[in-house]
Amino acid sequence: MRVWHGLDQVSPEFGPTVVTIGNFDGVHRGHQEVLAHAKTLASELGGLPVVALTFDPHPVMVLRPDRAPAMLSRAEERAELLTRYSADAVLILPFTKEVAGWPPEEFIDRVLVRALHAKAVVVGENFRFGHRAAGHVDTLIAAGAEAGFQVEGLSLAGGEQPWSSTYIRERIAEGDVEAAAEALGRPLRVTGVVVEGDKRGRELGYPTANIPADPAAAIPVDGVYAGWLTVLEPAPGAPAYDEPLPAAISVGSNPTFDGVDRRVESYVLDRDDLELYGAKIAVDFVSRLRGTQIRFETIDELLVQMKADVDGARRILTGN
């Protein structure tokens, strides 16, 4: 995977290229169609490499931090997904107030012409760029006529409900992880490093792997879900677990025990032997089992509900 974290990392000899530009948050099915189109065009132009240009942090975090969206993917996850869906290289351009101040012509000259030697540029039809978002597809077309690159602006894909990062965030905020997965083309994934919790789950017979709920990330509304836990990086000295593991997942602050910190707690079905403290894990959300977390009056009531949740997760994930 070829990833550049700035214009200075791009080799002057690299290119010519086909470039696609966007925030690409989540790399959803709409993004995937843009990437596929860029790949087809690159083949038609003689097998040119496709470069996906994205920004970190999200421009809104710099320009209007009070309106910054909950992110569907971190920059490194975005790069991996972009290469999975046809990009040959990824340029993560650090977005600063200086970059935000570039007029469209400067952005085109610095990035597309001098750094990436673009022969073609593929973007969504609503793409805007440059100082005060003054640049648009027509700006690119005019510049390309002079600089020697062609431009294609693609309409939003997805039919009556176009796929977009905003739509996916709305579905996640409602706990509708199935609709989010449909638009993403895969289950919603949340990653983190497992921390020690209160160990009450282990005492109750349901040990959980807990990761803090990152306030900057798009995490489903509080509730209980069925999904899969994958160990991305084992803890030092711990075994490697190569296969995704079926799990019942609780999102919230554990109101029965007066919890405060919001977290994602995953109980791997029928396993109490896993060594996960300190491991980096991914949690993939498949289906919502029930809504907002409940404060139970007794431990027995809690145990009855936990068993029902685990049984529900097992039915969804394994069919048993």
Side-chain angles (χ1 to χ4, degrees), residues 278-297:
K280 182 178 181 181
I281 66 170
V283 178
D284 295 321
F285 290 82
V286 172
S287 181
R288 191 181 191 186
L289 295 172
R290 60 182 172 91
T292 305
Q293 289 193 328
I294 302 169
R295 180 185 177 92
F296 294 95
E297 296 301 322

Side-chain angles (χ1 to χ4, degrees), residues 88-165:
D88 298 295
V90 178
L91 171 57
I92 302 173
L93 185 64
F95 194 85
T96 63
K97 289 187 177 180
E98 178 187 355
V99 172
W102 290 351
E105 297 75 16
E106 183 173 0
F107 179 90
I108 292 168
D109 181 58
R110 281 177 177 255
V111 179
L112 299 180
V113 176
R114 288 194 279 158
L116 298 178
H117 308 106
K119 291 297 289 182
V121 177
V122 179
V123 293
E125 63 182 2
N126 60 347
F127 175 67
R128 304 299 292 264
F129 67 104
H131 184 54
R132 297 187 181 277
H136 42 74
V137 174
D138 288 343
T139 311
L140 288 170
I141 292 173
E146 292 187 8
F149 61 82
Q150 66 185 83
V151 177
E152 297 195 20
L154 306 182
S155 59
L156 297 179
E160 293 183 6
Q161 175 53 68
W163 298 311
S164 71
S165 301

Side-chain angles (χ1 to χ4, degrees), residues 193-197 199 202 208-210 234-236 238 274-279:
V193 175
V194 177
V195 299
E196 289 198 33
K199 299 186 179 180
R202 183 169 295 279
T208 58
N210 304 332
L274 302 176
E275 299 178 32
L276 296 178
Y277 289 140

Side-chain angles (χ1 to χ4, degrees), residues 212-228:
D214 182 353
I219 292 176
V221 68
D222 290 5
V224 179
Y225 301 81
W228 299 89

Side-chain angles (χ1 to χ4, degrees), residues 12-266:
E13 288 75 36
F14 188 81
T17 66
V18 172
V19 182
T20 180
I21 314 169
N23 291 315
F24 293 119
D25 189 22
V27 194
H28 55 65
R29 291 174 67 187
H31 297 144
Q32 293 164 31
E33 290 206 3
V34 172
L35 288 159
H37 188 89
K39 192 69 172 180
T40 299
L41 180 57
S43 178
E44 294 171 353
L45 292 174
L48 301 182
V50 173
V51 177
L53 168 59
T54 187
F55 307 94
D56 186 51
H58 192 291
V60 178
M61 293 181 181
V62 174
L63 301 173
R64 292 297 302 271
D66 57 315
R67 297 187 178 182
M71 298 300 292
L72 299 169
S73 55
R74 297 184 177 96
E76 64 272 16
E77 296 165 339
R78 201 153 64 245
E80 189 277 325
L81 289 166
L82 288 166
T83 53
R84 182 192 305 178
Y85 295 113
S86 299
D88 298 295
V90 178
L91 171 57
I92 302 173
L93 185 64
F95 194 85
T96 63
K97 289 187 177 180
E98 178 187 355
V99 172
W102 290 351
E105 297 75 16
E106 183 173 0
F107 179 90
I108 292 168
D109 181 58
R110 281 177 177 255
V111 179
L112 299 180
V113 176
R114 288 194 279 158
L116 298 178
H117 308 106
K119 291 297 289 182
V121 177
V122 179
V123 293
E125 63 182 2
N126 60 347
F127 175 67
R128 304 299 292 264
F129 67 104
H131 184 54
R132 297 187 181 277
H136 42 74
V137 174
D138 288 343
T139 311
L140 288 170
I141 292 173
E146 292 187 8
F149 61 82
Q150 66 185 83
V151 177
E152 297 195 20
L154 306 182
S155 59
L156 297 179
E160 293 183 6
Q161 175 53 68
W163 298 311
S164 71
S165 301
T166 298
Y167 167 73
I168 294 168
R169 291 187 192 101
E170 290 170 350
R171 301 281 58 78
I172 292 169
E174 295 293 329
D176 190 352
V177 295
E178 293 95 334
E182 169 67 19
L184 284 166
R186 62 187 185 279
L188 170 70
R189 169 167 286 196
V190 173
T191 62
V193 175
V194 177
V195 299
E196 289 198 33
D198 303 317
K199 299 186 179 180
R200 292 196 184 94
R202 183 169 295 279
E203 294 170 0
L204 296 173
Y206 297 95
T208 58
N210 304 332
I211 56 176
D214 182 353
I219 292 176
V221 68
D222 290 5
V224 179
Y225 301 81
W228 299 89
L229 182 151
T230 302
V231 177
L232 302 177
E233 298 175 11
Y241 304 98
D242 296 328
E243 299 295 325
L245 303 167
I249 307 157
S250 173
V251 179
S253 57
N254 205 338
T256 298
F257 296 101
D258 299 317
V260 175
D261 297 327
R262 194 164 184 257
R263 54 196 178 188
V264 178
E265 303 183 50
S266 302

